[in-house]
Amino acid sequence: MSVLVTGGTGFIGSHTVVELLAKRYNVIILDNLSNSCRETVDRIEQIAGRAPQFVEGDIRDKSLIVNLLQDEPIEAVIHFAGLKAVGESVQKPLEYYKNNVYGTICLLEAMCAGGCKNMVFSSSATVYGSENRPPFNEAMPDGVTTNPYGTTKLTIERILRELYISDKDWSISLLRYFNPIGAHKSGLIGERPSGTPNNLMPYVSQVAAKKLKKLSIFGKDFDTADGTGVRDYIHVVDLAKGHIHALERVLGNSGLDVFNLGTGKGCSVLELVNTFQQVTGQKVPYSFEKRREGDIAECYADTSLAKEVLGWQAELGLEDMCADAWRWESRE
């Protein structure tokens, strides 16, 4: 059985491809390499013992995708491709709407033309917005998103819902991620941000590696145990395995489902930094800065639905996340 993975050389995509290959799926990666590198395909092969097919291209190239679907017996698409930096999205909103929303529409039109109507979509906990309160569950109403990145994810979710309403042959799973961190235990694949990292863990790792001077922690006066923001950090390998469970459901059922993928446990910024230092033995200098506009005190998942329906739950702990992230950073 063949699966098309858009954005399959990226952080979460590459780990998911490894898990797909382990389950004996045939995998075709479609990626424009805008935020990743071709070398990742070779590293995937090293880990999995067999290579995915790689096609360099953009999801906005509808004819390319139509040809792929005609040439290969593709039964499902796992859709990761998209720009993902919150801060950058504020500076370049048109790029985010053109790439994420318009790109997804092109992909969906190509899937319709090719007769492939099974999709697992990489969404985000940002769709819960600032008005809902944790633990976030899938039955909550759509929130008020606070940046263009989050709005593109929410918009795509709405497009997919309306597509399913119009055509019940579709089978769609919307996966709302919380905060994926860590790396593959081999140290061969992990998060490789271009330029200064936007996410906490790669920033922590680069400070520990002395590539960056210090970590800025934004806010120490939140209503949390230690005053720093609390998030639900999940190991990227656990997250990748969640996609396999979602894919199996999509292939076995028509319908549209929404699932949180997180641990269900909140962890503060200081707790993560302290755990990283203890696990790795590396110092992470930091300073406190003012809160960033739009940051909320706590964000963590209710993961009971994924456990009940998908039979999936996170298994790796914060110590694993820190150790694997450092192994990857040390190797690079």
Side-chain angles (χ1 to χ4, degrees), residues 156-181:
I156 294 166
E157 282 201 8
R158 289 175 174 170
I159 289 169
L160 289 169
R161 289 178 188 275
E162 290 167 2
L163 179 61
Y164 173 69
I165 290 171
S166 73
D167 182 355
K168 295 297 194 300
D169 287 338
W170 278 86
S171 184
I172 300 168
S173 187
L174 310 177
L175 302 184
R176 294 175 175 174
Y177 309 162
F178 280 70
N179 295 74
I181 60 174

Side-chain angles (χ1 to χ4, degrees), residues 19 43 50 52 61 70 85 87 120 127-128 137 139 158 198 217 220 223 244 250 252 286-287 307 315:
E19 298 301 323
R43 294 187 174 198
R50 62 192 188 99
D61 187 346
Q70 289 175 345
V120 176
V127 302
Y128 288 112
N137 70 72
R158 289 175 174 170
N198 291 290
I217 298 177
K220 61 176 181 179
D223 186 17
I244 308 303
V250 161
Y286 61 84
S287 64
K307 183 177 181 180
E315 297 176 349

Side-chain angles (χ1 to χ4, degrees), residues 40-55:
T40 302
V41 180
D42 300 324
R43 294 187 174 198
I44 289 170
E45 183 178 8
Q46 283 183 258
I47 296 168
R50 62 192 188 99
Q53 180 181 335
F54 176 73
V55 178

Side-chain angles (χ1 to χ4, degrees), residues 182-183 201 235 275-276 279-280 317-330:
M201 181 58 89
H235 198 295
T275 301
F276 183 93
V279 168
T280 66
L318 188 61
E319 293 81 4
D320 301 299
M321 303 178 208
C322 292
D324 291 339
W326 178 241
R327 185 180 300 108
W328 159 250
E329 182 64 43
S330 302

Side-chain angles (χ1 to χ4, degrees), residues 7 9-10 30-38 54 56-60 80-84 88 95-96 99-100 192-195:
T9 61
L30 175 65
D31 203 308
N32 64 9
L33 302 179
S34 64
N35 193 33
S36 58
C37 65
R38 177 65 176 78
F54 176 73
E56 185 172 351
D58 195 288
I59 56 172
R60 290 168 289 186
F80 294 104
L83 301 176
K84 61 176 185 177
E88 182 184 63
E95 285 190 29
Y96 274 68
N99 190 90
N100 296 7
R192 181 186 283 172
S194 57

Side-chain angles (χ1 to χ4, degrees), residues 90-258:
V90 176
Q91 301 299 320
K92 302 176 180 179
L94 294 183
E95 285 190 29
Y96 274 68
Y97 285 105
K98 185 176 181 180
N99 190 90
N100 296 7
V101 178
Y102 173 68
T104 300
I105 291 171
C106 291
L107 173 62
L108 292 169
E109 288 178 339
M111 290 175 68
C112 286
C116 177
K117 296 185 178 182
N118 299 315
M119 173 177 276
V120 176
F121 173 58
S122 166
S123 191
S124 168
T126 57
V127 302
Y128 288 112
S130 57
E131 297 180 340
N132 291 306
R133 293 290 176 265
F136 297 119
N137 70 72
E138 297 87 345
M140 287 178 169
D142 293 340
V144 177
T145 52
T146 57
N147 55 75
Y149 163 73
T151 305
T152 64
K153 291 294 187 182
L154 183 57
T155 301
I156 294 166
E157 282 201 8
R158 289 175 174 170
I159 289 169
L160 289 169
R161 289 178 188 275
E162 290 167 2
L163 179 61
Y164 173 69
I165 290 171
S166 73
D167 182 355
K168 295 297 194 300
D169 287 338
W170 278 86
S171 184
I172 300 168
S173 187
L174 310 177
L175 302 184
R176 294 175 175 174
Y177 309 162
F178 280 70
N179 295 74
I181 60 174
H184 194 270
K185 63 181 179 181
S186 66
L188 288 170
I189 56 174
E191 189 169 10
R192 181 186 283 172
S194 57
T196 303
N198 291 290
N199 296 328
L200 178 61
M201 181 58 89
Y203 207 107
V204 167
S205 296
Q206 290 194 21
V207 170
K210 298 182 172 54
K211 296 177 183 177
L212 296 171
K213 186 176 180 181
K214 67 173 182 176
L215 171 70
S216 294
I217 298 177
F218 297 98
K220 61 176 181 179
D221 58 351
F222 288 106
D223 186 17
T224 60
D226 61 22
T228 64
V230 168
R231 299 293 181 266
D232 187 339
Y233 298 100
I234 176 172
H235 198 295
V236 66
V237 172
D238 276 332
L239 186 64
K241 290 178 179 178
H243 288 75
I244 308 303
H245 286 257
L247 175 64
E248 290 169 351
R249 178 169 175 81
V250 161
L251 291 170
N253 303 271
S254 62
L256 185 144
D257 294 311
V258 183

